[in-house]
Amino acid sequence: YRNGAKVVRSFKPDFVLIRQNLRDAGEDYKNILLALKFGGVPSINNINAIYNFQDKPWVFAHMMEIQKRLGKDNFPLIEQSYFPNHKEMLSAPRY
């Protein structure tokens, strides 16, 4: 704000290289990725892939679909468990 009026600044980069995850312990940068996609900004990495890979359970579910098509011998995966939140993890069986 300058003199009581909101100052809006914008820019459009020629291209981007995304080097970090969309989320970390304290921040979520999904809004920036969406803005880049909406603005048609070219990216060295595939913006669609970055968006689709932001949730590991989503990616693993797709890999399980591939495994069903190809077979476990042709597309082996390390077994994983999904917990919808941290409370569910606390009641999980111990190994």
Side-chain angles (χ1 to χ4, degrees):
Y1 289 92
R2 188 179 298 153
N3 298 329
K6 185 176 181 180
V7 177
V8 178
R9 295 186 177 134
S10 65
F11 67 95
K12 184 172 180 181
D14 295 326
F15 66 92
V16 295
L17 167 63
I18 299 167
R19 294 178 38 175
Q20 70 182 53
N21 291 329
L22 291 181
R23 288 182 287 212
D24 64 21
E27 294 291 329
D28 184 351
Y29 299 102
K30 181 179 171 182
N31 61 336
I32 295 172
L33 185 74
L34 293 173
L36 293 168
K37 180 70 174 175
F38 186 82
V41 177
S43 176
I44 292 174
N45 347 45
N46 185 313
I47 289 179
N48 293 337
I50 292 168
Y51 183 85
N52 285 331
F53 274 77
Q54 68 183 326
D55 292 308
K56 303 304 184 232
W58 182 262
V59 174
F60 193 76
H62 284 281
M63 291 192 321
M64 287 191 306
E65 290 174 3
I66 294 170
Q67 186 184 58
K68 284 179 187 174
R69 281 196 322 264
L70 300 178
K72 289 185 177 185
D73 291 336
N74 294 325
F75 197 80
L77 293 172
I78 297 171
E79 189 175 323
Q80 295 186 13
S81 298
Y82 172 74
F83 299 98
N85 57 50
H86 70 280
K87 293 175 187 172
E88 298 293 329
M89 289 174 56
L90 298 176
S91 63
R94 302 274 182 222
Y95 293 101

